[in-house]
Amino acid sequence: YIYNGFDTSAFEPPSVFTEGKRVVYIGAMVPAKGFHVLARVWKDVIAEVPDAKLIVIGSARVYDEDAELGKWGVAHENYEASHIRPYLSDGDGHPIESVEFKGLLGKEKIPLMQKASVGVVNPSGKSENCPGSAIEFQSAGTPVVSNAYRGLLDTVQHGRTGLLGSESEIAENIVALLKNPGRSREMGRAGIKWVKHRFSFESVCQEWVNLFEAIQNGEPVQNNYPLVNLSNNLKYAREGMRLLKIALPGGYNIPSIY
């Protein structure tokens, strides 16, 4: 595989800084993007850091501009009513004071990302191959908190550019960074360097050039992907099946079993 390329120039801040104890979530407000996981544990964050602020960027219209929105205007009514409002409503049915829904934003999202202490991307980890928002946050000098699952394992360096764990550890990891702004800034600086190193167009385009030259010259094309995180999401079984299909005559005619 070859990673997606990314231009950091629009996101990189002049200096890594934070503004208050601010958490920013970016993503489509649909079940597959996991905002309900963050909504469910936000009360635990507030219990530890009472002055924390959650800014939510996105809506159900990220992928469907004609989507009908619910009472709060951020997601489908059934999703809002069952998975968001029960955890984030005040006594009058409005969002609690610590939460602000921004809806869809363009470039104006960038200053919010740059000033955040924590960036949250799909805390369920599902449906992610190469989560662009995780790369954007790190380019903006903001550490990412999410699930140690699928594409997040390839785009975030746990313990260096963010904190990855299970859904039950999301609140704990957010609190850990909010209470330690120095660590948050250190991870932010590391995130900028990581994205430039791994996702720059200079390195990614060179990988494409190498691939095309190998094909043109009739050379074997190598699968250079690293065999890491083998226990995650049955990766060991998937790799075993791939090798078996190569070894068996007609192996690629074997249908997927999962």
Side-chain angles (χ1 to χ4, degrees), residues 4 25-36 63 79 121-133 146-153 155 167 232-233 238:
N4 291 336
Y25 167 92
I26 292 181
M29 299 295 283
V30 296
K33 296 302 178 181
F35 177 74
H36 55 278
Y63 301 124
Y79 185 48
V121 176
N122 192 349
S124 75
K126 298 176 181 177
S127 76
E128 298 300 341
N129 176 28
C130 184
S133 295
S146 192
N147 200 321
Y149 196 58
R150 294 190 176 172
L152 286 150
L153 290 164
T155 50
E167 290 186 9
N232 188 271
N233 196 30
R238 298 169 190 272

Side-chain angles (χ1 to χ4, degrees), residues 37-224:
V37 176
L38 178 57
R40 187 168 61 240
V41 303
W42 183 246
K43 63 180 183 301
D44 300 323
V45 175
I46 294 299
E48 292 289 330
V49 187
D51 55 342
K53 179 80 173 178
L54 172 61
I55 296 175
V56 182
I57 301 173
S59 84
R61 290 180 176 168
V62 169
Y63 301 124
D64 179 6
E65 61 183 18
D66 297 321
E68 293 187 12
L69 303 180
K71 178 181 175 181
W72 283 1
V74 295
H76 293 290
E77 174 60 25
N78 58 349
Y79 185 48
E80 276 191 20
S82 60
H83 289 84
I84 299 176
R85 297 202 298 265
Y87 305 106
L88 301 179
S89 295
D90 62 17
D92 297 321
H94 303 297
I96 56 178
E97 186 177 355
S98 63
V99 179
E100 181 179 0
F101 290 95
K102 291 286 191 179
L104 291 176
L105 296 180
K107 292 182 179 179
E108 60 270 30
K109 72 181 181 180
I110 296 176
L112 296 175
M113 299 173 73
Q114 293 172 332
K115 297 175 183 179
S117 298
V118 180
V120 179
V121 176
N122 192 349
S124 75
K126 298 176 181 177
S127 76
E128 298 300 341
N129 176 28
C130 184
S133 295
I135 298 173
E136 290 178 348
F137 269 124
Q138 291 168 103
S139 294
T142 298
V144 173
V145 168
S146 192
N147 200 321
Y149 196 58
R150 294 190 176 172
L152 286 150
L153 290 164
D154 294 319
T155 50
V156 179
Q157 292 186 303
H158 172 63
R160 182 168 179 265
T161 68
L163 296 175
L164 302 178
S166 65
E167 290 186 9
S168 63
E169 295 173 308
I170 297 294
E172 177 184 339
N173 286 335
I174 291 173
V175 168
L177 291 177
L178 290 179
K179 287 186 173 182
N180 192 338
R183 187 184 186 196
S184 176
R185 288 191 293 270
E186 180 183 353
M187 285 186 168
R189 286 189 285 267
I192 294 172
K193 294 178 181 178
W194 158 244
V195 172
K196 283 183 174 181
H197 166 72
R198 190 66 206 81
F199 302 98
S200 71
F201 280 110
E202 288 81 4
S203 61
V204 170
C205 288
Q206 186 59 54
E207 291 183 61
W208 281 106
V209 169
N210 294 342
L211 172 64
F212 293 147
E213 288 182 344
I215 294 171
Q216 181 177 355
N217 296 329
E219 299 171 356
V221 176
Q222 300 297 318
N223 279 323
N224 294 322

